[in-house]
Structure formats: structure tokens, C-alpha cells
Amino acid sequence: MYHTGDVAYWNDKNELVCLGRIDNQVKLRGFRIELGEIESAMSKIEGVTSVVAEIKELNGIQHLCAYYVSDSEIDEEVLKSEFSKSLSDYMIPTVYVHMSTMPLTPNGKVNRKDLPLPNVKKAEYVAPETEFEILFCNIYADVLKRNEVGVNDDFFSIGGTSINAIKVVFDADKHGVKIAYKDLFRKKTPHDLAIFAERLANKYQ
């Protein structure tokens, strides 16, 4: 027998149904991610001629990175906006690397091992000011065991996962702040969560 790496099953009509492949699926922050879906979505962006999605560990934290080849570098916010049209929030890369060419193996395939380690710019620390900003900065710091969290720190970029995201929601609830689990994937920084929580509080006053 030959192990192909394909995932398939026989249905009740004795037909072989192919679900995809197992060798390009990864787990990140508690979610299973199909790298091929990300690559397919990015390849549809105008100007992109080649793309590879990969997990890279940067400063002890795993990041979902998108390497792409195009004539010129594309604004990161534009890329994220395009991804949001077809991908779930947790599948949108947090790091983007513009390349002139992709490293190749002798047989012409992309050599993933030779993809460069990106330089991730650490968000400049901005101290919390409002009541809600202080609350969420403190919750992030407690949940992620960090000494200091700024208002612009992305929860998932500083070590957050789908598991400890539940604790953020739980801790916020203990302080009388009601946020949903899904909100944390859309409002990832203490600043954005604070604005969201303040609007909710005003709505129900």
C-alpha cells in the first residue's frame, strides 16, 4: 500500500469521497487551519503571482505567515481586507512577507524550510487610560502571564489561543463586562475591546 496523504472515505453508494490532504493542515491557537485555503485565497488577489502560507515561531510565539511574490509590496491592511471576504478570522495571516522569488527545491517545488524568518515589529507600548482599557490590559496580562500589555497589543499576536480566549471572556464577565467569545476574534486589542464594551454599556444604560 502507498500512503498518499489524502483524506477520503467510502460513502453509502460505494463512492470514494476525497476531503483534501492532511500534510498541509496545521494547528494554531487551538484551531485547525488548512494552509492551502489561505494560499488559494491570496492567489486570487490582483498582482500576486506566487504565495505560500506557513507557521513560523517568532519570539516564542507562533504566527501564521503569508509569503507572496508580486511586482510591488501590497499594503498589509489591503491583504487582510481581501482575506476577510473568504476566510474565518483565525485563518487570516498576522505576518506578510513580500518576496522577489520563492526558494525552490531541486525538483522545482517551494522549499518551505528556506523561507526567511520574518521581522515582526513589536507594537509600541501605549498605556491604558480609560476604565475599560485598564480592565482589558489587566485581563490580557493575567491570562497570558505577561508583566505588561499595551492598549494596541493584539491578543493572538502576544500568545493568545482559542482556549485562553475563553478565560478572557470569563474574567470580563466577573467584572460585569459582557463580551462574546467571537468578539475577541474581531476586537483583538484592549483598545478595540474597550470601545466595544463602552458602546454596549451605553446601549443598556
Side-chain angles (χ1 to χ4, degrees), residues 39 42 48-54 65-70 97-105 108-112 114-116:
E39 293 168 352
M42 192 167 188
V48 175
T49 58
S50 181
V51 59
V52 174
E54 191 65 49
C65 306
Y67 296 83
Y68 67 97
V69 175
S70 64
V97 183
H98 177 248
M99 313 254 310
S100 55
T101 58
M102 290 289 183
L104 303 176
T105 62
K109 293 184 178 180
V110 175
N111 190 340
R112 292 176 177 267
D114 280 353
L115 291 169

Side-chain angles (χ1 to χ4, degrees), residues 71-179:
D71 291 336
S72 59
E73 188 170 357
I74 304 173
D75 184 82
E76 185 175 308
E77 293 306 314
V78 172
L79 293 173
K80 288 181 178 180
S81 176
E82 288 299 315
F83 274 129
S84 66
K85 295 176 182 178
S86 58
L87 298 177
S88 300
D89 291 335
Y90 64 85
M91 290 183 66
I92 297 177
T94 55
V95 178
Y96 298 85
V97 183
H98 177 248
M99 313 254 310
S100 55
T101 58
M102 290 289 183
L104 303 176
T105 62
N107 60 5
K109 293 184 178 180
V110 175
N111 190 340
R112 292 176 177 267
K113 293 182 179 179
D114 280 353
L115 291 169
L117 201 63
N119 291 319
V120 178
K121 295 180 180 178
K122 187 177 180 181
E124 182 181 350
Y125 176 75
V126 178
E129 296 180 354
T130 69
E131 177 185 352
F132 284 120
E133 286 179 348
I134 294 172
L135 172 64
F136 284 113
C137 281
N138 288 339
I139 290 176
Y140 277 23
D142 179 61
V143 169
L144 301 178
K145 309 302 180 188
R146 298 175 67 91
N147 293 328
E148 188 177 69
V149 172
V151 295
N152 295 324
D153 286 338
D154 183 308
F155 180 72
F156 297 102
S157 294
I158 60 175
T161 68
S162 62
I163 302 301
N164 51 30
I166 297 173
K167 193 171 188 310
V168 171
V169 176
F170 178 74
D171 286 356
D173 183 66
K174 288 195 300 184
H175 289 84
V177 179
K178 306 290 185 181
I179 59 171

